[in-house]
Amino acid sequence: MTAHTSLPRRAAAELIGTAGLLVVVIGSGIQAAELSRDTGVALIANSIASAIGLGLIITLFGPLSGAHLNPVVTFTAWWSRRTGGEGLDGREALVYTAAQTAGAIGGAVLAEAMFGRTPGTFATQVREGGHLLVGEVVATAGLVLVIQGLGRIGRPRLIPAAVAAYIAAAIWFTSSGSFANPAGTIGRSFSDSFTGIAPESLPGFVAAQLAGGILGLVLAGLLYGSSRSVKPVPVETLTETGPVDGAAATKAAYETIG
């Protein structure tokens, strides 16, 4: 948890990081669809670019805000604090969620503009059906389990690579394509592209993601025990360079994620 970084700076990191993630996801989807008519080839390109971009963004912004980039991850951090572990209080969680949502919309609009498309056009790709919602529950539960699991066994340094790898895989093994992020899902509704989702599909996807987040927390507790029993990893084991913003006593760089 980056306790000595101010909340405005952490919120800015969440906003910029989430915007960057949406630029990568949507931009690579637009580029892939323009370069290939083969949906499989386009999805390979999109999943690889998304995973690489996500890993880099978490590595870059993790020491500032924890690089949640996702309201479900923020919810798990809030819950961890409520149950006696490290995490966010209610006000911080609300600020993070607002920043993530604004960043996601901004990133989608930027990606559209960057490719000469009309910014702010709503997606028309309807994604509906119970099987897709099951896919979102599975995708989000798995994401939370990866983050919580690594945090609870004291290996938060592995989170950037592990989350990137998980998302790359989940894009393929889930029926929904693994949106797994309410803010990102809202942002993608502002892009009528390969990765878009029509606004009418948002309620079902967001509800499935929240359910998946809860399931992921339950599984993490079942497998690894309560988060309150996890001791923070010393800062010196996580960072080789000086602390951000003079925060000499900053806790583990990714503890807010777990």
Side-chain angles (χ1 to χ4, degrees):
M1 177 178 178
T2 51
H4 292 274
T5 303
S6 68
L7 181 56
R9 180 166 293 187
R10 283 183 280 150
E14 287 296 306
L15 187 149
I16 296 169
T18 310
L21 176 60
L22 268 291
V23 169
V24 171
V25 172
I26 294 175
S28 64
I30 294 172
Q31 185 81 294
E34 289 181 351
L35 294 177
S36 175
R37 295 182 180 179
D38 188 317
T39 303
V41 171
L43 188 59
I44 289 174
N46 179 238
S47 61
I48 292 174
S50 298
I52 293 173
L54 177 58
L56 291 173
I57 291 169
I58 295 175
T59 300
L60 180 61
F61 292 103
L64 281 172
S65 66
H68 296 189
L69 315 174
N70 185 335
V72 169
V73 178
T74 295
F75 164 75
T76 64
W78 169 79
W79 183 255
S80 292
R81 180 156 177 168
R82 280 183 58 87
T83 54
E86 296 290 332
L88 303 177
D89 63 30
R91 174 172 171 268
E92 290 171 320
L94 288 174
V95 170
Y96 268 47
T97 300
Q100 292 155 1
T101 304
I105 295 172
V109 171
L110 176 58
E112 291 282 297
M114 187 168 60
F115 282 89
R117 298 158 61 92
T118 303
T121 301
F122 286 117
T124 57
Q125 186 172 353
V126 177
R127 300 176 187 263
E128 59 184 9
H131 66 293
L132 296 183
L133 300 184
V134 171
E136 276 301 282
V137 172
V138 171
T140 311
L143 174 63
V144 170
L145 182 59
V146 167
I147 295 171
Q148 288 284 318
L150 288 173
R152 295 185 189 201
I153 63 176
R155 295 183 178 178
R157 286 187 69 176
L158 298 179
I159 287 176
V163 169
Y166 173 79
I167 290 299
I171 287 173
W172 282 91
F173 75 71
T174 63
S175 58
S176 63
S178 185
F179 283 50
N181 182 337
T185 303
I186 292 171
R188 286 162 72 163
S189 72
F190 285 82
S191 174
D192 191 17
S193 65
F194 180 74
T195 58
I197 177 171
E200 57 263 39
S201 300
L202 290 179
F205 265 60
V206 171
Q209 290 156 2
L210 294 176
I214 294 171
L215 177 60
L217 277 175
V218 171
L219 291 174
L222 177 66
L223 294 171
Y224 301 104
S226 172
S227 61
R228 74 178 64 188
S229 63
V230 179
K231 296 181 180 179
V233 179
V235 177
E236 57 269 21
T237 67
L238 296 177
T239 56
E240 297 178 357
T241 58
V244 177
D245 197 29
T250 303
K251 294 185 183 292
Y254 300 111
E255 277 299 299
T256 37
I257 299 183

